[in-house]
Amino acid sequence: MKCIYCKYPYTYLLKDNQRKCGKCKRKFSPQKLEREQKLRLLFIEGYNARETSIKTGMHFSTVQKYYGNFRIAIALYADEQYQLHAKNITGYDEYLYLPKSLKIKENIHKLQHFLTLSYENKVYNLMMPTMQHFNFDTNDEKEQKILLKYLRFNKIAKYTKAENTITQFWEFFEAFILQYKGVSDEQFIFYLKEAEWRFNYSKSELIKSLEHTY
């Protein structure tokens, strides 16, 4: 088995079942690599952490930790790809997201605001400042009406446009995020980036982009 660090073709087995490289002398665990590969493939297939925990017998918190690392890697990969293709941006539009199960008036403060850019039939998303960042008083009736008016306009605008990459992504995202319950504000960007990643790439490209996560 070759070394995962320097690619030297010869490694030897240690008593604790780890392997040690004959050149760089670094150790690694084939069992751990096999586990990570299994989790990576299930993640790519779209299994959530709970489903994967049941399917593999691994502890839920362990799977969740790996999935979190996958999403961080995806966000970094998205940034790299955007930097390579930024000059090819063909359009952009903003989106206000609120789970369909929540009423707008009572949950304006929970709106997620992001900007979607399109390039080469792909998308790249940027989180925008929250209402709190602008000191927007969601309890003020006048300010609430202004936001509701904007929100209705935004919804009408996106659904009356001709189908394009951006609106297709929004529809994809709305369907994708339904499987998750109660995504926190801090974690929302990573789920948004996962949706972006799945929308942009074929299965073979998904596999390749996560090959070197660790």
Side-chain angles (χ1 to χ4, degrees), residues 118-138:
S118 62
Y119 70 94
E120 300 174 2
N121 295 318
K122 294 180 174 62
V123 296
Y124 178 78
N125 293 280
L126 290 166
M127 291 301 298
M128 304 297 284
T130 61
M131 299 300 122
Q132 289 85 349
H133 179 84
F134 290 113
N135 294 319
F136 189 96
D137 186 357
T138 55

Side-chain angles (χ1 to χ4, degrees), residues 1 4 28-38 40 214:
M1 184 177 186
I4 64 170
F28 61 93
S29 168
Q31 291 80 11
K32 184 181 179 182
L33 292 176
E34 184 179 348
R35 179 178 63 185
E36 290 169 354
Q37 177 65 5
K38 182 183 292 185
R40 197 159 30 235
Y214 295 92

Side-chain angles (χ1 to χ4, degrees), residues 98-204:
L98 186 71
K100 288 182 171 64
S101 59
L102 300 179
K103 294 183 178 180
I104 294 175
K105 284 188 177 182
E106 290 83 357
N107 296 280
I108 286 181
H109 61 288
K110 295 182 180 179
L111 283 168
Q112 297 287 356
H113 187 194
F114 57 88
L115 184 70
T116 304
L117 301 91
S118 62
Y119 70 94
E120 300 174 2
N121 295 318
K122 294 180 174 62
V123 296
Y124 178 78
N125 293 280
L126 290 166
M127 291 301 298
M128 304 297 284
T130 61
M131 299 300 122
Q132 289 85 349
H133 179 84
F134 290 113
N135 294 319
F136 189 96
D137 186 357
T138 55
N139 293 315
D140 184 280
E141 188 175 348
K142 185 176 179 181
E143 292 192 14
Q144 191 179 77
K145 284 181 179 178
I146 292 172
L147 183 57
L148 286 171
K149 183 178 179 181
Y150 172 78
L151 181 59
R152 282 194 293 270
F153 172 78
N154 184 271
K155 292 283 186 182
I156 292 169
K158 76 172 187 182
Y159 286 122
T160 55
K161 287 179 181 177
E163 281 288 304
N164 57 43
T165 303
I166 292 174
T167 54
Q168 286 172 15
F169 169 72
W170 287 342
E171 290 174 3
F172 178 88
F173 171 76
E174 288 275 7
F176 166 82
I177 202 67
L178 280 177
Q179 65 183 300
Y180 300 104
K181 310 295 182 184
V183 175
S184 67
D185 290 347
E186 294 77 15
Q187 291 296 314
F188 182 83
I189 179 61
F190 296 108
Y191 287 85
L192 176 63
K193 286 296 178 180
E194 182 187 344
E196 174 186 310
W197 175 71
R198 293 185 185 280
F199 178 83
N200 283 345
Y201 302 109
S202 65
K203 184 177 177 180
S204 62

Side-chain angles (χ1 to χ4, degrees), residues 3 15-16 19 33 47 52 58-59 63 65 75 80-81 83 86 97 101 104 115 122 164 171 178 185 198 203:
C3 177
K15 288 183 179 180
D16 60 0
R19 298 198 74 89
L33 292 176
Y47 289 92
T52 296
M58 294 183 196
H59 197 281
V63 176
K65 181 180 178 181
E80 291 172 1
Q81 293 304 304
Q83 293 300 325
Y97 168 74
S101 59
I104 294 175
L115 184 70
K122 294 180 174 62
N164 57 43
E171 290 174 3
L178 280 177
D185 290 347
R198 293 185 185 280
K203 184 177 177 180

